[in-house]
Every structure is written in C-alpha cells, then in structure tokens.
Amino acid sequence: MVDVLYIEIVSNMAVPKKKHTKSRRNKRRRNIFLKAPVLTICPKCGKPVLPHTVCFNCGYYKGGEVIDVLKKLTKKEKKLKEKEIAGKEKEEEKEEKSAKKPLSWEELSKSR
Ligand SMILES: [Zn+2]
C-alpha cells in the first residue's frame, strides 16, 4: 500500500516579471563596499584612534587616564609598554622644540 501525499505549496512570494539586467544589478551593488574608518592620532601615544574613543594603547581620553592599561600585563610587557609611551612623549618634546624656533634667513642659507 502506497499512500501518496499531495502537498500543495501555496506561495505568497512576489515573482519577478522580467529579468534585471547586469547593468541594473551592478548599479545596485556599486554602493556595497567597505569604507576605511576615520581615525585621529592619540595625543598621548601617537597611535591612530577612533574619534571620541578611549585610546586602547595608553588608556587615555581627553587628557586623563580612563583605563589602566598596565594592570593586566606581566612585568616584561609593562616595561616595554612604559618605554613605548615614554618614547612617544620624548619625540613630541623634540618636535615642539624644533617647531618653536622657526629658521631665520641666515640659517636657511647656511643649510644649503
Ligand atoms: Zn594613546
């Protein structure tokens, strides 16, 4: 005995009447792409950071420490991290010093 079950499939889905061209498909897809995030530079450590976000490298935001970055690190990692952050600050000081003194005309002519 073979019972045959007839199942009527009722679909309410919309069925496209005509094929969309490649051009039309591509026009739809031209806006589907990844955009590069807008990044600012952390004033404390100089790493790229998302704007209005705590820097995850040094844990600073708006000039104050928000996250203690060194807390979970081992001794060795701590040393490296402290060095990294301190190094960036020294570089900034150097840049400030060089930026403070604009070259005079005499100095400019000497450098040539
Ligand atoms: Zn930072």
Side-chain angles (χ1 to χ4, degrees):
M1 288 258 313
V2 180
D3 282 65
V4 182
L5 265 175
Y6 290 103
I7 301 169
E8 197 175 310
I9 298 169
V10 180
S11 171
N12 293 327
M13 230 181 96
V15 181
K17 204 163 192 181
K18 278 180 183 169
K19 181 192 173 180
H20 283 186
T21 60
K22 286 175 194 171
S23 166
R24 195 174 159 153
R25 179 202 63 198
N26 292 343
K27 272 189 225 164
R28 171 166 39 88
R29 288 182 187 171
R30 74 182 156 194
N31 293 315
I32 304 169
F33 57 89
L34 293 172
K35 285 167 197 160
V38 180
L39 295 173
T40 56
I41 291 168
C42 173
K44 175 87 177 166
C45 66
K47 291 252 176 175
V49 192
L50 285 169
H52 311 290
T53 311
V54 177
C55 174
F56 286 101
N57 185 51
C58 63
Y60 272 70
Y61 181 65
K62 278 189 173 179
E65 193 175 1
V66 182
I67 303 167
D68 190 5
V69 182
L70 306 174
K71 202 175 182 180
K72 282 187 177 177
L73 300 176
T74 61
K75 254 189 181 178
K76 210 173 186 182
E77 287 170 332
K78 259 186 199 178
K79 252 190 181 175
L80 280 170
K81 196 89 175 174
E82 279 169 354
K83 238 185 192 177
E84 192 183 317
I85 292 169
K88 284 283 173 186
E89 282 172 354
K90 276 181 188 172
E91 277 178 27
E92 280 174 14
E93 283 172 18
K94 278 180 192 174
E95 283 174 16
E96 280 175 19
K97 276 181 188 173
S98 62
K100 274 178 187 173
K101 280 188 180 178
L103 290 171
S104 65
W105 286 109
E106 290 168 11
E107 283 171 331
L108 280 172
S109 59
K110 273 180 192 172
S111 61
R112 283 185 183 176

